[in-house]
Amino acid sequence: MTGTALLAVAVLLAGCGSDDPAAACEVDVTSSDLVADREAAGVPDCAPGGGDADLPDVALPCLGSDEEATLSSVEGPAVINFWASWCEPCIKEMPALAEFHERYGDQVAVVGVNWQDGYPAAAIDLARTSGTAYPSLADPCGALSETDLAIVGLPQFVFVKEDGSVELANGGKESLDEVVDMVEAKLDIDLERARS
């Protein structure tokens, strides 16, 4: 490797060592085009919660909206799903979560977090194609990485119990039954299942 090439690599690596990597990130998840895309996809806007979850009190924008919310305001029982449009297991899992929300959303709230995803238009398109009808917050620059919330891979679940306590679990569920079993176990609840 030449001296010039080594210098270029050193300069690039020095940029990666910034004290605040999120400061260099500029991803607009609230543009008017994204708002229109979210509305056309049938994905609801975020609403401020009234809960007191043991989660970071970091304001995050709603994907495709001017609204903001915090994870700490999520009221249990709830399922928070961390996902990204570039995550293959997330893509496979989202239809099962959409079906869970459709059947059991009146018993357990579902909230998404589009995490470290620089492609908000692709994220909204994935929500549309998977039939997602629950809101998603957006953390494109990893603001939650600066907290003690340990998101180590995607997809990731955070379960919020009625008392505000939380438990994390790996995602990758591909059927409604898998999601139901996990929700009941992690939230220590029995869902009222509709009779066919």
Side-chain angles (χ1 to χ4, degrees), residues 76-78 100-101 103-109 162 187 189-194:
F100 177 86
H101 172 71
R103 292 195 187 187
Y104 303 106
D106 60 336
Q107 299 173 60
V108 176
E162 285 191 54
L187 292 177
I189 62 173
D190 290 319
L191 294 169
E192 292 181 27
R193 300 182 190 218

Side-chain angles (χ1 to χ4, degrees), residues 25-91:
C25 177
E26 294 182 20
V27 178
D28 182 7
V29 299
T30 64
S31 73
S32 58
D33 287 344
L34 292 174
V35 171
D37 288 348
R38 178 190 54 78
E39 290 172 349
V43 177
D45 203 352
C46 299
D52 190 20
D54 188 20
L55 289 167
D57 192 29
V58 174
L60 297 174
C62 188
L63 180 63
S65 169
D66 291 330
E67 294 295 323
E68 287 187 340
T70 65
L71 293 182
S72 62
S73 68
V74 172
E75 187 170 355
V79 174
I80 302 172
N81 177 248
F82 283 75
W83 63 280
S85 64
W86 46 260
C87 164
E88 193 64 34
C90 302
I91 294 167

